[in-house]
Amino acid sequence: MLSQGVYPERLKFALIKPIYKSGDKSSPSNYRPISLLPAFSKIFEKLIYERLFDHFSKNTILSEHQYGFRSEMSTENASYMLLNDILTAMNSKQIVGGIFCDLQKAFDCINHEVLLKKLEFYGVTTKFYNLIKSYLEGRYQKVVINCTTVAESTWEKIKQGVPQGSILGPILFLIYINDLPKLAPTGTKILLYADDTSIIVTSPNLAHYENQINEIFKEVNYWFKLNQLKLNYNKTHYLQFTSTTNRMDALKINYQGLQVINSSHTKFLGLIIDDSLSWKDHIDQMKPKLNSACFVIRSLQAMMDTETLKMIYFAYVHSIMSYGIIFWGNQLYSDKIFKIQKRAIRIITNSRTRDSCRKLFQRLEILPLYSQYIFSISIFVVKNKHLFNTNNQIHSFHTRYKTNLHQPTANLTKYQKGVYYSGVKIFNNLPKEIKDLTNQTTSFRNALKRFLLLNCFYNREEYFNYQTQ
């Protein structure tokens, strides 16, 4: 196969299983078509993927603004870059807004001819090029639906798109969309997480800002048209980010008569971001899920031992509570989540409503919300040391704090609550023996966990008063 540049014909057949996403269940557009491929096919795909990814990695071809389907990059990294750009602009008193794009069936709309031209441009040639061309051509699929009875379509030839659920599909999509971020001029950034496309525009001048955001939106739409992708205007949102004391009228952004929805909030990689970055909407949508989890734990409490209940807690409470906690864990509204967490702890231990939870947290070896926030943001800082500067990198003064992270200047309280500023402050307040372990991630994590379980910090005052005790 690799030597001849031909992909086996028998491995080009896929059963399509529609997986429900959200919205109206009767609408086919709310289902994701997952391809069930022959098991043997995935072995060949893995070989091709390794060679393809190695070529793009060694030659640093993939855009630094693409965070999807890449090792050591996550939704947390993508969210940090987006939110830090917004907060930095607000802290500098610049105008900042974002267009959060939704592409219609992006994986299914990839034009094979365009993709092959891009592969050739990026240096994929000769037999390896022919192999990928062979992989894309002559593929067949049929849809299988399991309801009360099994219903299926006839086999149909695939004319465009890459198989969702395949090993090669994600990397081929990243290559297809790789040149999009290069459209962004100074003061503009295009961030990608697979097909999630976000455009952030900043400017100190309103007239320049209006021109810039409309111009970049026009350029992006033209790029989509050339690459045969289509924007879903019903799910594309524009947010004008402002502080609560300095609001301005939202702009009207349109292209060829179609207008982008002006919104006060939008969903970005599982986080609900609002235009003032208060996190109220995100926290409010967490509450029903966590309350349901508490109900489940209460229903099972009499039948399960403590260890089993802890497993249920980590599956249904901790997983929701810890996601994105570095962004919202120090916000005003986070206390609502802490109250629900304490209720879950009392249910697990069969404690009374007014019983103190501090000892219960320690007994169960579960971190209280704010301690979990300290843990998560400290781990983020250690994993992303390249994003932060130490004091001795900024100045040459020999002080006892020279190896601490450098604290930036903050003009807004909102910026102080952001990951960068808070991460620096929290990390610098850790005991020296823990900070000295930053080059040993596992040891750092274990030492930090022991420290936080021992002290069980409920709020920032308790944590920052720790060193002065």
Side-chain angles (χ1 to χ4, degrees):
M1 178 190 71
L2 293 172
S3 61
Q4 295 179 353
V6 177
Y7 198 80
E9 294 294 326
R10 293 292 297 272
L11 302 181
K12 295 183 182 182
F13 290 79
L15 298 176
I16 303 299
K17 177 78 174 176
I19 303 296
Y20 173 69
K21 294 188 291 184
S22 61
D24 182 7
K25 287 191 174 183
S26 64
S27 173
S29 63
N30 291 327
Y31 290 80
R32 180 176 284 109
I34 299 299
S35 298
L36 302 179
L37 299 161
F40 204 51
S41 169
K42 297 202 172 185
I43 298 171
F44 288 126
E45 286 194 41
K46 185 68 175 176
L47 290 170
I48 298 170
Y49 172 87
E50 293 294 342
R51 292 199 178 189
L52 193 59
F53 192 78
D54 183 63
H55 170 75
F56 276 79
S57 296
K58 281 183 177 177
N59 295 287
T60 58
I61 295 170
L62 289 178
S63 170
E64 62 178 339
H65 300 306
Q66 172 61 268
Y67 292 85
F69 306 121
R70 300 179 69 180
S71 61
E72 298 183 8
M73 290 190 176
S74 63
T75 56
E76 190 175 63
N77 294 109
S79 300
Y80 167 79
M81 293 307 295
L82 177 99
L83 293 164
N84 191 58
D85 283 351
I86 295 166
L87 285 168
T88 302
M90 292 171 74
N91 191 54
S92 303
K93 299 181 180 179
Q94 294 200 20
I95 301 165
V96 57
I99 303 173
F100 297 83
C101 303
D102 184 87
L103 293 172
Q104 289 184 0
K105 308 292 183 186
F107 277 70
D108 299 326
C109 294
I110 289 178
N111 181 278
H112 292 170
E113 187 178 341
V114 174
L115 173 59
L116 289 167
K117 284 181 180 177
K118 292 190 179 190
L119 283 165
E120 198 169 17
F121 174 78
Y122 290 131
V124 179
T125 56
T126 60
K127 289 181 180 178
F128 197 57
Y129 170 88
N130 291 333
L131 178 60
I132 297 174
K133 183 179 180 182
S134 174
Y135 171 83
L136 294 169
E137 292 176 343
R139 301 190 70 89
Y140 290 84
Q141 66 180 30
K142 71 174 178 179
V143 180
V144 178
I145 302 173
N146 293 314
C147 299
T148 50
T149 57
V150 177
E152 58 182 53
S153 69
T154 57
W155 289 103
E156 296 291 339
K157 192 171 184 178
I158 302 171
K159 298 178 182 178
Q160 61 183 30
V162 292
Q164 293 193 55
S166 65
I167 292 172
L168 273 178
I171 184 68
L172 293 176
F173 182 82
L174 296 192
I175 294 165
Y176 195 78
I177 205 169
N178 190 56
D179 55 310
L180 176 58
K182 293 179 181 177
L183 295 177
T186 304
T188 302
K189 184 180 283 186
I190 298 174
L191 284 172
L192 302 172
Y193 191 91
D195 60 333
D196 285 319
T197 306
S198 305
I199 307 165
I200 299 297
V201 178
T202 62
S203 177
N205 177 275
L206 180 59
H208 179 264
Y209 172 79
E210 289 184 16
N211 179 68
Q212 190 88 323
I213 200 163
N214 278 289
E215 189 62 30
I216 187 62
F217 190 60
K218 178 183 173 183
E219 289 290 325
V220 167
N221 271 282
Y222 183 65
W223 187 94
F224 287 151
K225 185 178 179 181
L226 285 178
N227 289 273
Q228 300 186 26
L229 298 175
K230 190 176 180 183
L231 204 59
N232 182 352
Y233 278 82
N234 293 326
K235 294 181 180 179
T236 297
H237 296 148
Y238 168 67
L239 269 68
Q240 178 69 58
F241 295 101
T242 58
S243 63
T244 52
T245 58
N246 183 30
R247 291 194 169 274
M248 58 178 281
D249 294 333
L251 303 178
K252 290 185 178 179
I253 301 170
N254 57 72
Y255 178 75
Q256 295 185 346
L258 296 169
Q259 186 168 322
V260 177
I261 298 169
N262 287 332
S263 180
S264 61
H265 63 273
T266 192
K267 195 166 188 178
F268 177 78
L269 302 179
L271 300 171
I272 297 179
I273 299 174
D274 61 90
D275 55 9
S276 63
L277 298 183
S278 70
W279 296 99
K280 182 179 183 300
D281 295 318
H282 181 76
I283 289 167
D284 283 346
Q285 65 87 29
M286 290 173 63
K287 286 162 57 183
K289 297 176 184 177
L290 293 173
N291 283 328
S292 297
C294 285
F295 177 79
V296 170
I297 295 171
R298 188 184 297 278
S299 301
L300 297 172
Q301 197 273 336
M303 299 177 282
M304 303 284 187
D305 59 25
T306 302
E307 286 304 310
T308 306
L309 291 172
K310 271 182 65 177
M311 290 174 62
I312 296 169
Y313 167 87
F314 278 104
Y316 292 99
V317 177
H318 180 81
S319 60
I320 295 170
M321 189 190 79
S322 61
Y323 183 76
I325 195 172
I326 66 171
F327 306 110
W328 59 264
N330 63 345
Q331 302 294 325
L332 175 66
Y333 300 102
S334 64
D335 192 54
K336 297 177 180 179
I337 304 302
F338 186 35
K339 288 177 181 176
I340 299 174
Q341 186 195 23
K342 287 193 287 187
R343 191 197 319 154
I345 296 301
R346 290 191 180 103
I347 294 169
I348 292 171
T349 56
N350 198 25
S351 301
R352 294 171 299 180
T353 306
R354 293 188 177 275
D355 286 348
S356 172
C357 283
R358 204 178 293 263
K359 294 292 183 186
L360 302 179
F361 277 114
Q362 291 174 325
R363 194 176 93 200
L364 294 173
E365 296 185 338
I366 291 173
L367 293 177
L369 179 75
Y370 192 78
S371 292
Q372 181 63 49
Y373 166 72
I374 295 169
F375 180 81
S376 296
I377 202 167
S378 298
I379 295 297
F380 178 84
V381 169
V382 168
K383 282 185 174 180
N384 297 276
K385 286 182 284 189
H386 62 284
L387 299 174
F388 300 87
N389 294 314
T390 56
N391 285 328
N392 58 7
Q393 289 176 301
I394 302 298
H395 58 71
S396 57
F397 302 118
H398 294 286
T399 68
R400 60 176 175 163
Y401 302 115
K402 65 180 181 179
T403 57
N404 272 4
L405 298 179
H406 180 70
Q407 191 80 64
T409 303
N411 300 316
L412 291 177
T413 303
K414 200 177 296 294
Y415 180 76
Q416 291 178 359
K417 289 190 173 184
V419 173
Y420 190 94
Y421 190 96
S422 293
V424 169
K425 194 169 184 179
I426 285 169
F427 180 83
N428 286 345
N429 198 62
L430 289 173
K432 184 179 183 302
E433 61 270 20
I434 297 179
K435 288 189 287 186
D436 288 343
L437 297 171
T438 53
N439 292 325
Q440 305 166 52
T441 307
T442 303
S443 298
F444 176 85
R445 181 189 292 268
N446 293 337
L448 179 61
K449 184 79 175 284
R450 287 193 299 269
F451 166 72
L452 293 173
L453 283 171
L454 179 65
N455 291 279
C456 263
F457 301 113
Y458 271 21
N459 51 55
R460 69 184 305 278
E461 288 75 21
E462 289 183 5
Y463 175 65
F464 287 108
N465 287 336
Y466 165 79
Q467 295 284 38
T468 60
Q469 290 176 2

